[in-house]
Amino acid sequence: MANDIRVCDKCKHMKMKTIVPKLQKLVPDAEIRVGCKSYCGPCARYAFIFVNGRYVKAATEDEAIEKALPYIKKKK
């Protein structure tokens, strides 16, 4: 089962040039979608990642990745 990871390209707290490669390296089987998630309130204040149905937010993109790790499905 592949992981569904989504990031917002409008988020002021993340850079697509860095977050997408980090996520691809961490979860090579993931389908990473980039685009607006209509999560504008928190998006303006935090970095966030939508991973497998959950919004994960943090002060930085690296912290958001760390917080998202428990929600990433592992291959069996």
Side-chain angles (χ1 to χ4, degrees), residues 42-67:
C43 181
R45 296 186 305 265
Y46 306 102
F48 81 92
I49 302 169
F50 182 83
V51 58
N52 295 325
R54 294 190 177 256
Y55 282 104
V56 178
K57 66 181 182 178
T60 67
E61 66 182 42
D62 288 331
E63 289 175 23
I65 290 171
E66 286 296 317
K67 286 185 170 183

Side-chain angles (χ1 to χ4, degrees), residues 6-52:
R6 302 175 191 194
V7 292
C8 180
D9 57 343
K10 307 276 189 246
C11 183
K12 294 174 179 24
H13 300 280
M14 296 194 309
K15 293 185 170 106
M16 294 305 109
K17 284 184 174 182
T18 58
I19 190 74
V20 173
K22 287 177 188 177
L23 290 169
Q24 288 173 333
K25 184 177 179 182
L26 185 66
V27 192
D29 70 329
E31 179 179 347
I32 300 171
R33 297 182 191 170
V34 176
C36 181
K37 302 293 159 248
S38 298
Y39 198 61
C40 297
C43 181
R45 296 186 305 265
Y46 306 102
F48 81 92
I49 302 169
F50 182 83
V51 58
N52 295 325

